[in-house]
Amino acid sequence: DQQVKQNSPSLSVQEGRISILNCDYTNSMFDYFLWYKKYPAEGPTFLISISSIKDKNEDGRFTVFLNKSAKHLSLHIVPSQPGDSAVYFCAASAVTGANSKLTFGKGITLSVRP
Amino acid sequence: NAGVMQNPRHLVRRRGQEARLRCSPMKGHSHVYWYRQLPEEGLKFMVYLQKENIIDESGMPKERFSAEFPKEGPSILRIQQVVRGDSAAYFCASSYSFGGEQFFGPGTRLTVL
């Protein structure tokens, strides 16, 4: 039972263009969403997050959009750079309760072509 | 300020042996999470600990796996009698407070022969 789904395993974009990474979730108890970036042989690194009370959060080249009614979020990277090539994980948590554990999707491998 | 430290980075064990994975959280962090990543999968939650307490172990396999976070020293994830299916990357994360941002270590890659 996968509660966080990243249905596209990979994405390739040209340098300078926009990268759009999608994520869907099924658990309506999730109220906090995060994106992590991961390079091979390293741990995930936090990128950007959004609370369920918002529909957009922006940080530099990275913007996350949340559509609660559709249970869908997306990460936009613009302009994309070759250094952005990595695996991107969408994660969610239900901060209320006794445990803020993260539930991850399977990840999307982003390749940015020079 | 050192980040989350995990050791060893790579661990090879034969079937039936024990594996001990260590995690030192960031300075000042008292919340530790362990996650496992199987090949081609996302990270899956295993256990959440605070100092000397297991808060949630709902993601831990019922047998052979245990975790601790003593008052002094690193958190330990222990796998007894390893099997090939235990081969995975094991990541530790720490946070300063409940619900706070989780910072991940580099992981321990366990290979069971």
Side-chain angles (χ1 to χ4, degrees):
Chain A
D1 174 31
Q2 199 161 358
Q3 299 184 61
V4 177
K5 300 177 184 178
Q6 295 178 262
N7 292 320
S8 301
S10 63
L11 176 67
S12 180
V13 299
Q14 192 76 39
E15 180 179 6
R17 306 295 288 267
I18 185 170
S19 295
I20 300 177
L21 289 71
N22 294 306
C23 178
D24 298 291
Y25 63 96
T26 57
N27 188 341
S28 56
M29 297 298 291
F30 289 145
D31 52 11
Y32 194 64
F33 304 89
L34 309 92
W35 284 93
Y36 281 83
K37 178 179 178 179
K38 185 180 180 303
Y39 293 116
E42 294 184 12
T45 302
F46 171 76
L47 201 55
I48 192 169
S49 63
I50 188 166
S51 164
S52 60
I53 62 173
K54 294 187 172 184
D55 55 19
K56 177 182 175 181
N57 188 27
E58 194 171 351
D59 183 1
R61 297 185 297 115
F62 303 92
T63 303
V64 56
F65 295 91
L66 175 63
N67 182 334
K68 280 183 62 180
S69 61
K71 292 192 175 68
H72 176 83
L73 62 155
S74 61
L75 174 67
H76 292 210
I77 306 173
V78 56
S80 301
Q81 299 173 353
D84 296 329
S85 297
V87 178
Y88 288 78
F89 290 99
C90 172
S93 71
V95 180
T96 53
N99 185 354
S100 58
K101 65 184 180 185
L102 297 174
T103 301
F104 284 84
K106 289 189 176 184
I108 299 172
T109 300
L110 173 65
S111 300
V112 180
R113 306 185 304 273
Chain B
N1 187 16
V4 178
M5 310 279 283
Q6 288 189 250
N7 67 82
R9 294 291 307 274
H10 300 274
L11 182 61
V12 179
R13 285 288 178 265
R14 296 191 181 279
R15 280 179 297 169
Q17 292 184 319
E18 179 179 288
R20 281 188 180 234
L21 288 62
R22 286 177 289 278
C23 168
S24 296
M26 286 181 70
K27 187 175 181 180
H29 287 195
S30 59
H31 300 251
V32 166
Y33 300 79
W34 284 93
Y35 295 85
R36 175 166 69 173
Q37 184 183 21
L38 295 170
E40 309 301 324
E41 296 285 328
L43 284 71
K44 295 261 195 297
F45 167 78
M46 299 182 75
V47 62
Y48 165 44
L49 311 102
Q50 293 180 26
K51 281 287 186 180
E52 300 185 275
N53 289 303
I54 297 174
I55 306 301
D56 183 345
E57 55 183 349
S58 60
M60 290 275 269
K62 298 297 180 205
E63 297 176 348
R64 304 186 296 107
F65 284 71
S66 62
E68 63 177 7
F69 188 17
K71 187 177 180 181
E72 301 290 337
S75 174
I76 306 285
L77 180 67
R78 182 182 178 206
I79 312 172
Q80 294 179 288
Q81 300 174 337
V82 296
V83 300
R84 288 219 174 105
D86 297 333
S87 295
Y90 292 82
F91 292 97
C92 165
S94 73
S95 68
Y96 176 76
S97 60
F98 171 78
E101 181 184 338
Q102 294 182 29
F103 294 84
F104 282 80
T108 294
R109 275 142 192 88
L110 172 65
T111 301
V112 180
L113 301 177

